Amino acid sequence: MNIILDLFGIHIVFFSTILILCLSWLFWPRKNIGTRKILLRTIGLISVFGIILAFRAYWPYSYEKNYLNTPVSKEIMSTPLKALADSIDFNIGVAIASNSEFKELIAKEFNSVVAENDFKPKKLLIDPVHWKFDFSAADRLMEFSKSNGMRMRGHTLIWGKFPGRTYPQLWKKQIAESADKEETMKSIMTQYIHTVMGHFKGQISTWDVVNEPMAGEGLYPSPFTEAMGEYYIDWAFKHAHEIDPDCSLFLNEQIYDYDGPAGKAFLALLKRLKKRNVPIHGIGLQTHHIKGIHDLDGLKRFIRAIGELGLKVEITELDIRLLLMGNEDDPYEAQGVQFGEVVNICLRDQACEGVTFWGLTDKVNWMDHIPPFSWKSPNAPHILDEDMRKKPAYIHIWEALKKAQPNF
Ligand code: XIL
């Protein structure tokens, strides 16, 4: 329900209003002509208003690509991001699909990768009834990262959100019907984490153990919370630590209001986990700019606050929807500046160990396939454009890395 409201809220309100008005008109006593007329006119008016709004909202925009007028400097063309990041021991990464057509370029530009989807429960556990796994796509990516000396971030073991899409619907059913929910959930998590972490043991040094546990100020309601409340997080981390004590264990989350209730609730959760000695080593801040632009000062303070808890940080899923910059004189440039600033903030805080972009090129971008973002273009959220040219984003990121070099 949450996701439906989240994605379709405004449409639900609009269509239910029209529906209620139509039903009222249909069943209103026919002799009451005056009221029926008013109802009909209101329906007409709201529909016209709605159509105008829909046109306005979904009309595809396009912005001037001013960056094409300025040639990219020779130094930027000849020094990949990876070279700059390697020299300061910084992780610069990108999300990748196992069938990616850009592998060669990715190996040249990045020292770290993460599977966009291929390490997720829905991809690996192909038959949850018989606990049957398929590691073939994930193994191909693992091979690619190893053969190019790149770090692979593991994403993700337990995903707190969206039953059916992120973890098997079966788990929901099993918990709902279980007489001992806690034991059932523990055994599900044991089997899952054991199999997946065990499979990659010694190859993956950083895992997102729990992804997106929060929904605003609270936890996202799931079979995990139904069975164990907040302690499912403790349990997942403890178990992951037992399986691979050398692995860096992360909790990954998308936060927007760093200084608001959700940000505060998240920090409070981290404090409780630390107090309970949960073996958690780092926090992944997804930093998708999908619904709004992140407040950079807030992000800076947030990273510091996490660092002060003794935890590492990584920016794990950075992308910036171009439309959010629609009011700027040069949206592509504004998008680039924001990319550069986020990278710079991470570079300047000792707790922050890397930035991963949630895709490489606007040619293939996940937002174009997920409603409601797919309904309105251009999303163009990545650092290369659809023709693989370097956008201002690339240049600003490159400059941030360059300025962080010891001899700059
Ligand atoms: C997204 C992928 O990019 C899409 O291809 C897929 O359809 C849905 O998941 N937060 C996360 C990522 O932790 O795993 C999500 O990736 C984006 C939001």
Side-chain angles (χ1 to χ4, degrees):
M1 192 63 194
N2 281 13
I3 173 74
I4 294 177
L5 273 183
D6 214 25
L7 296 182
F8 303 104
I10 180 91
H11 307 83
I12 286 181
V13 174
F14 182 74
F15 287 118
S16 25
T17 313
I18 294 266
L19 191 70
I20 291 168
L21 285 170
C22 286
L23 288 175
S24 314
W25 178 78
L26 211 63
F27 293 109
W28 210 269
R30 304 223 161 229
K31 57 182 185 218
N32 206 336
I33 297 171
T35 318
R36 285 172 58 87
K37 257 191 186 162
I38 296 179
L39 277 172
L40 206 59
R41 280 188 191 143
T42 320
I43 293 169
L45 211 73
I46 297 189
S47 306
V48 171
F49 187 62
I51 290 169
I52 295 173
L53 272 188
F55 261 107
R56 224 183 99 72
Y58 299 120
W59 196 257
Y61 290 88
S62 73
Y63 305 114
E64 274 312 309
K65 291 182 170 168
N66 296 327
Y67 59 90
L68 295 180
N69 302 330
T70 322
V72 178
S73 79
K74 274 203 187 115
E75 196 190 358
I76 295 183
M77 286 309 277
S78 62
T79 317
L81 302 175
K82 176 184 180 150
L84 297 173
D86 277 347
S87 79
I88 50 172
D89 211 9
F90 188 74
N91 294 299
I92 197 85
V94 71
I96 183 177
S98 58
N99 58 357
S100 170
E101 47 181 309
F102 313 114
K103 285 203 173 109
E104 205 177 310
L105 182 59
I106 286 176
K108 183 178 152 218
E109 289 284 353
F110 300 95
N111 58 20
S112 169
V113 273
V114 63
E116 181 176 3
N117 289 308
D118 290 315
F119 283 58
K120 289 175 178 172
K122 286 283 285 184
K123 271 293 179 82
L124 297 180
L125 184 52
I126 50 165
D127 176 0
V129 176
H130 303 100
W131 283 100
K132 199 164 164 259
F133 287 80
D134 177 2
F135 286 104
S136 51
D139 284 343
R140 276 202 301 280
L141 276 183
M142 200 64 240
E143 223 15 77
F144 161 74
S145 77
K146 279 197 290 188
S147 58
N148 287 287
M150 307 166 93
R151 173 189 76 147
M152 169 68 79
R153 283 196 95 252
H155 174 82
T156 176
L157 290 171
I158 301 297
W159 195 340
K161 265 185 186 149
F162 308 147
R165 285 210 289 141
T166 50
Y167 55 86
Q169 195 77 40
L170 178 71
W171 292 0
K172 200 173 168 211
K173 189 164 170 280
Q174 284 172 333
I175 294 302
E177 290 170 358
S178 167
D180 190 339
K181 295 183 195 303
E182 182 175 339
E183 275 317 304
T184 310
M185 183 40 88
K186 278 186 174 168
S187 108
I188 289 175
M189 287 205 281
T190 305
Q191 186 136 357
Y192 187 81
I193 299 178
H194 188 88
T195 312
V196 177
M197 271 192 100
H199 182 87
F200 294 110
K201 193 169 170 171
Q203 305 181 77
I204 293 190
S205 57
T206 308
W207 263 110
D208 286 337
V209 176
V210 175
N211 190 33
E212 299 184 332
M214 306 283 289
E217 293 165 60
L219 291 182
Y220 192 92
S222 65
F224 307 111
T225 54
E226 188 185 337
M228 301 177 73
E230 171 174 312
Y231 292 93
Y232 88 86
I233 302 178
D234 302 36
W235 205 85
F237 275 92
K238 280 183 184 156
H239 193 61
H241 188 57
E242 266 170 38
I243 293 174
D244 193 346
D246 297 328
C247 201
S248 238
L249 305 180
F250 272 62
L251 190 152
N252 195 43
E253 186 56 274
Q254 166 78 356
I255 307 274
Y256 272 106
D257 57 337
Y258 298 110
D259 300 311
K264 288 194 176 117
F266 185 67
L267 287 180
L269 168 69
L270 300 188
K271 281 182 194 152
R272 290 196 297 280
L273 295 178
K274 289 295 285 180
K275 203 162 167 203
R276 297 202 291 263
N277 286 322
V278 174
I280 175 170
H281 309 118
I283 300 304
L285 296 175
Q286 295 184 0
T287 333
H288 290 289
H289 291 49
I290 317 177
K291 295 183 187 162
I293 299 166
H294 289 244
D295 164 34
L296 295 170
D297 284 334
L299 173 65
K300 201 187 289 178
R301 283 194 294 275
F302 207 67
I303 292 180
R304 195 73 305 275
I306 297 171
E308 276 160 16
L309 293 174
L311 292 165
K312 300 185 268 194
V313 180
E314 284 193 41
I315 304 289
T316 46
E317 304 184 15
L318 182 57
D319 50 22
I320 301 176
R321 223 178 152 207
L322 186 65
L323 274 173
L324 298 174
M325 300 295 179
N327 290 332
E328 302 288 335
D329 291 342
D330 184 342
Y332 282 99
E333 174 62 17
Q335 181 195 45
V337 169
Q338 181 79 2
F339 261 106
E341 287 295 327
V342 173
V343 172
N344 190 41
I345 287 172
C346 180
L347 283 164
R348 303 286 157 187
D349 193 304
Q350 65 195 32
C352 197
E353 299 191 336
V355 176
T356 298
F357 307 109
W358 205 245
L360 175 71
T361 153
D362 294 339
K363 190 173 171 185
V364 189
N365 89 77
W366 69 288
M367 286 183 205
D368 282 352
H369 306 285
I370 304 233
F373 317 113
S374 50
W375 299 339
K376 195 174 170 186
S377 58
N379 286 307
H382 298 312
I383 66 176
L384 302 183
D385 70 13
E386 55 287 345
D387 298 315
M388 307 304 284
R389 288 172 302 215
K390 293 180 168 55
K391 287 166 71 182
Y394 184 99
I395 313 292
H396 286 281
I397 293 159
W398 190 95
E399 282 167 355
L401 285 165
K402 177 82 182 171
K403 283 186 192 139
Q405 303 297 306
N407 52 356
F408 184 77

